[in-house]
Short mmCIF file of all heavy atoms in Angstrom, two decimals:
data_model
loop_
_atom_site.label_atom_id
_atom_site.label_comp_id
_atom_site.label_asym_id
_atom_site.label_seq_id
_atom_site.Cartn_x
_atom_site.Cartn_y
_atom_site.Cartn_z
N HIS Q 1070 2.10 37.24 -15.35
CA HIS Q 1070 1.52 37.01 -16.64
C HIS Q 1070 0.24 36.18 -16.45
O HIS Q 1070 0.25 35.02 -16.00
CB HIS Q 1070 2.54 36.14 -17.36
CG HIS Q 1070 2.40 36.23 -18.86
ND1 HIS Q 1070 1.22 35.86 -19.49
CD2 HIS Q 1070 3.18 36.69 -19.89
CE1 HIS Q 1070 1.29 36.03 -20.88
NE2 HIS Q 1070 2.55 36.51 -20.97
N PRO Q 1071 -0.92 36.64 -16.80
CA PRO Q 1071 -2.15 35.82 -16.68
C PRO Q 1071 -2.19 34.49 -17.50
O PRO Q 1071 -2.74 33.63 -17.08
CB PRO Q 1071 -3.27 36.87 -17.21
CG PRO Q 1071 -2.68 38.04 -17.58
CD PRO Q 1071 -1.10 37.98 -17.44
N ALA Q 1072 -1.50 34.50 -18.53
CA ALA Q 1072 -1.41 33.27 -19.32
C ALA Q 1072 -0.72 32.10 -18.58
O ALA Q 1072 -1.08 30.91 -18.63
CB ALA Q 1072 -0.70 33.51 -20.71
N ALA Q 1073 0.20 32.48 -17.71
CA ALA Q 1073 0.89 31.46 -16.94
C ALA Q 1073 -0.03 30.86 -15.96
O ALA Q 1073 -0.02 29.65 -15.80
CB ALA Q 1073 2.18 32.14 -16.22
N TRP Q 1074 -0.88 31.67 -15.31
CA TRP Q 1074 -1.84 31.18 -14.35
C TRP Q 1074 -2.92 30.33 -15.04
O TRP Q 1074 -3.33 29.25 -14.57
CB TRP Q 1074 -2.54 32.34 -13.62
CG TRP Q 1074 -1.58 33.02 -12.62
CD1 TRP Q 1074 -0.71 34.09 -12.91
CD2 TRP Q 1074 -1.14 32.63 -11.27
NE1 TRP Q 1074 -0.04 34.51 -11.83
CE2 TRP Q 1074 -0.27 33.51 -10.88
CE3 TRP Q 1074 -1.55 31.64 -10.49
CZ2 TRP Q 1074 0.27 33.44 -9.54
CZ3 TRP Q 1074 -1.06 31.47 -9.20
CH2 TRP Q 1074 -0.25 32.43 -8.78
N TRP Q 1075 -3.26 30.76 -16.21
CA TRP Q 1075 -4.32 30.10 -16.97
C TRP Q 1075 -3.80 28.67 -17.49
O TRP Q 1075 -4.44 27.68 -17.37
CB TRP Q 1075 -4.70 30.91 -18.24
CG TRP Q 1075 -5.65 30.23 -19.10
CD1 TRP Q 1075 -7.04 30.02 -18.91
CD2 TRP Q 1075 -5.34 29.61 -20.39
NE1 TRP Q 1075 -7.54 29.30 -19.94
CE2 TRP Q 1075 -6.61 29.09 -20.87
CE3 TRP Q 1075 -4.18 29.53 -21.11
CZ2 TRP Q 1075 -6.59 28.41 -22.11
CZ3 TRP Q 1075 -4.25 28.84 -22.34
CH2 TRP Q 1075 -5.37 28.31 -22.80
N MET Q 1076 -2.45 28.76 -17.84
CA MET Q 1076 -1.84 27.45 -18.30
C MET Q 1076 -1.63 26.46 -17.14
O MET Q 1076 -1.88 25.32 -17.32
CB MET Q 1076 -0.62 27.66 -19.01
CG MET Q 1076 -0.82 28.40 -20.37
SD MET Q 1076 0.61 28.59 -21.50
CE MET Q 1076 1.97 28.81 -20.41
N LEU Q 1077 -1.53 26.91 -15.93
CA LEU Q 1077 -1.31 26.09 -14.72
C LEU Q 1077 -2.68 25.55 -14.51
O LEU Q 1077 -2.75 24.29 -14.17
CB LEU Q 1077 -0.85 26.83 -13.52
CG LEU Q 1077 -0.72 25.99 -12.29
CD1 LEU Q 1077 0.26 24.93 -12.40
CD2 LEU Q 1077 -0.28 26.94 -11.09
N ARG Q 1078 -3.78 26.22 -14.57
CA ARG Q 1078 -5.10 25.63 -14.41
C ARG Q 1078 -5.38 24.70 -15.45
O ARG Q 1078 -5.88 23.48 -15.23
CB ARG Q 1078 -6.13 26.81 -14.58
CG ARG Q 1078 -6.78 27.28 -13.20
CD ARG Q 1078 -7.76 28.20 -13.48
NE ARG Q 1078 -9.19 27.60 -13.43
CZ ARG Q 1078 -10.14 28.09 -13.92
NH1 ARG Q 1078 -10.11 29.20 -14.48
NH2 ARG Q 1078 -11.30 27.42 -13.88
N ARG Q 1079 -5.00 24.81 -16.73
CA ARG Q 1079 -5.27 23.94 -17.79
C ARG Q 1079 -4.42 22.62 -17.62
O ARG Q 1079 -4.78 21.63 -17.98
CB ARG Q 1079 -5.01 24.55 -19.18
CG ARG Q 1079 -5.77 25.66 -19.49
CD ARG Q 1079 -7.14 25.29 -19.82
NE ARG Q 1079 -7.17 24.41 -20.92
CZ ARG Q 1079 -8.16 23.64 -21.28
NH1 ARG Q 1079 -9.18 23.49 -20.53
NH2 ARG Q 1079 -8.05 22.66 -22.28
N LEU Q 1080 -3.15 22.92 -17.06
CA LEU Q 1080 -2.26 21.75 -16.88
C LEU Q 1080 -2.87 20.74 -15.76
O LEU Q 1080 -2.82 19.58 -15.97
CB LEU Q 1080 -0.99 22.17 -16.33
CG LEU Q 1080 0.08 21.13 -15.99
CD1 LEU Q 1080 0.41 20.32 -17.20
CD2 LEU Q 1080 1.29 21.73 -15.27
N ARG Q 1081 -3.51 21.32 -14.70
CA ARG Q 1081 -4.16 20.59 -13.69
C ARG Q 1081 -5.29 19.72 -14.30
O ARG Q 1081 -5.51 18.56 -14.00
CB ARG Q 1081 -4.72 21.45 -12.64
CG ARG Q 1081 -3.61 21.99 -11.79
CD ARG Q 1081 -4.31 22.94 -10.75
NE ARG Q 1081 -3.32 23.73 -9.94
CZ ARG Q 1081 -2.81 23.37 -8.77
NH1 ARG Q 1081 -3.38 22.26 -8.19
NH2 ARG Q 1081 -1.91 24.13 -8.12
N VAL Q 1082 -6.12 20.35 -15.25
CA VAL Q 1082 -7.16 19.58 -15.81
C VAL Q 1082 -6.63 18.53 -16.75
O VAL Q 1082 -7.06 17.37 -16.78
CB VAL Q 1082 -8.06 20.66 -16.60
CG1 VAL Q 1082 -9.10 19.91 -17.53
CG2 VAL Q 1082 -8.76 21.57 -15.60
N ALA Q 1083 -5.53 18.87 -17.50
CA ALA Q 1083 -5.00 17.91 -18.41
C ALA Q 1083 -4.41 16.72 -17.71
O ALA Q 1083 -4.51 15.58 -18.18
CB ALA Q 1083 -3.92 18.57 -19.19
N VAL Q 1084 -3.75 16.91 -16.55
CA VAL Q 1084 -3.21 15.88 -15.73
C VAL Q 1084 -4.37 14.85 -15.36
O VAL Q 1084 -4.27 13.65 -15.39
CB VAL Q 1084 -2.50 16.35 -14.55
CG1 VAL Q 1084 -2.28 15.36 -13.49
CG2 VAL Q 1084 -1.06 16.90 -15.00
N GLU Q 1085 -5.56 15.45 -14.84
CA GLU Q 1085 -6.65 14.64 -14.46
C GLU Q 1085 -7.26 13.79 -15.65
O GLU Q 1085 -7.61 12.69 -15.44
CB GLU Q 1085 -7.69 15.41 -13.69
CG GLU Q 1085 -7.30 15.95 -12.40
CD GLU Q 1085 -7.05 14.74 -11.39
OE1 GLU Q 1085 -7.73 13.69 -11.39
OE2 GLU Q 1085 -6.10 14.96 -10.54
N VAL Q 1086 -7.50 14.46 -16.72
CA VAL Q 1086 -8.08 13.90 -17.86
C VAL Q 1086 -7.08 12.75 -18.38
O VAL Q 1086 -7.56 11.64 -18.77
CB VAL Q 1086 -8.39 14.90 -18.99
CG1 VAL Q 1086 -8.66 14.17 -20.31
CG2 VAL Q 1086 -9.40 15.80 -18.55
N ASP Q 1087 -5.87 13.00 -18.41
CA ASP Q 1087 -4.81 12.02 -18.85
C ASP Q 1087 -4.93 10.80 -17.85
O ASP Q 1087 -4.73 9.61 -18.29
CB ASP Q 1087 -3.49 12.67 -18.99
CG ASP Q 1087 -2.50 11.53 -19.58
OD1 ASP Q 1087 -2.70 11.09 -20.68
OD2 ASP Q 1087 -1.41 11.30 -18.97
N CYS Q 1088 -4.91 11.11 -16.57
CA CYS Q 1088 -5.00 9.99 -15.62
C CYS Q 1088 -6.25 9.23 -15.85
O CYS Q 1088 -6.07 7.93 -15.82
CB CYS Q 1088 -4.94 10.51 -14.15
SG CYS Q 1088 -4.85 9.28 -13.01
N ASP Q 1089 -7.26 9.82 -15.99
CA ASP Q 1089 -8.55 9.10 -16.27
C ASP Q 1089 -8.44 8.13 -17.50
O ASP Q 1089 -8.93 7.11 -17.51
CB ASP Q 1089 -9.75 9.97 -16.32
CG ASP Q 1089 -10.01 10.64 -14.98
OD1 ASP Q 1089 -9.75 10.08 -13.98
OD2 ASP Q 1089 -10.62 11.81 -15.00
N ARG Q 1090 -7.81 8.76 -18.50
CA ARG Q 1090 -7.74 7.97 -19.81
C ARG Q 1090 -6.81 6.73 -19.54
O ARG Q 1090 -7.19 5.63 -20.00
CB ARG Q 1090 -7.01 8.94 -20.85
CG ARG Q 1090 -6.89 8.21 -22.24
CD ARG Q 1090 -5.89 8.97 -23.14
NE ARG Q 1090 -4.52 9.20 -22.63
CZ ARG Q 1090 -3.58 8.27 -22.38
NH1 ARG Q 1090 -3.73 6.99 -22.91
NH2 ARG Q 1090 -2.42 8.49 -21.92
N ARG Q 1091 -5.80 6.86 -18.87
CA ARG Q 1091 -4.83 5.76 -18.50
C ARG Q 1091 -5.62 4.68 -17.66
O ARG Q 1091 -5.43 3.55 -18.00
CB ARG Q 1091 -3.68 6.18 -17.84
CG ARG Q 1091 -2.58 6.78 -18.87
CD ARG Q 1091 -1.36 7.28 -18.16
NE ARG Q 1091 -1.56 8.61 -17.64
CZ ARG Q 1091 -1.24 8.99 -16.37
NH1 ARG Q 1091 -0.81 8.17 -15.45
NH2 ARG Q 1091 -1.54 10.26 -15.96
N VAL Q 1092 -6.43 5.14 -16.71
CA VAL Q 1092 -7.10 4.23 -15.83
C VAL Q 1092 -8.12 3.35 -16.70
O VAL Q 1092 -8.29 2.17 -16.71
CB VAL Q 1092 -7.72 4.86 -14.60
CG1 VAL Q 1092 -8.63 3.89 -13.95
CG2 VAL Q 1092 -6.60 5.29 -13.76
N LEU Q 1093 -8.78 4.20 -17.58
CA LEU Q 1093 -9.83 3.48 -18.39
C LEU Q 1093 -9.28 2.50 -19.37
O LEU Q 1093 -9.78 1.48 -19.69
CB LEU Q 1093 -10.71 4.54 -19.08
CG LEU Q 1093 -11.64 5.37 -18.26
CD1 LEU Q 1093 -12.24 6.48 -18.98
CD2 LEU Q 1093 -12.70 4.43 -17.64
N ALA Q 1094 -8.15 2.94 -20.02
CA ALA Q 1094 -7.35 2.04 -20.83
C ALA Q 1094 -6.93 0.77 -20.24
O ALA Q 1094 -7.08 -0.39 -20.88
CB ALA Q 1094 -6.24 2.71 -21.51
N ALA Q 1095 -6.46 0.85 -19.03
CA ALA Q 1095 -5.94 -0.28 -18.29
C ALA Q 1095 -7.23 -1.11 -17.76
O ALA Q 1095 -7.14 -2.39 -17.71
CB ALA Q 1095 -5.23 0.09 -17.05
N ALA Q 1096 -8.25 -0.43 -17.41
CA ALA Q 1096 -9.47 -1.19 -16.97
C ALA Q 1096 -10.18 -2.02 -18.11
O ALA Q 1096 -10.77 -2.99 -17.78
CB ALA Q 1096 -10.44 -0.20 -16.42
N ARG Q 1097 -10.01 -1.70 -19.29
CA ARG Q 1097 -10.56 -2.43 -20.41
C ARG Q 1097 -9.99 -3.82 -20.53
O ARG Q 1097 -10.69 -4.74 -21.01
CB ARG Q 1097 -10.37 -1.66 -21.75
CG ARG Q 1097 -11.28 -0.60 -21.88
CD ARG Q 1097 -11.28 0.03 -23.33
NE ARG Q 1097 -12.21 1.19 -23.32
CZ ARG Q 1097 -11.93 2.39 -23.29
NH1 ARG Q 1097 -10.63 2.73 -23.10
NH2 ARG Q 1097 -12.78 3.24 -23.41
#
Side-chain angles (χ1 to χ4, degrees):
H1070 205 303
W1074 291 94
W1075 177 76
M1076 289 186 329
L1077 180 61
R1078 257 183 96 202
R1079 297 290 301 159
L1080 178 64
R1081 288 177 190 261
V1082 171
V1084 161
E1085 286 301 323
V1086 169
D1087 184 56
C1088 182
D1089 293 333
R1090 182 196 55 80
R1091 283 182 272 128
V1092 171
L1093 288 171
R1097 284 190 178 98

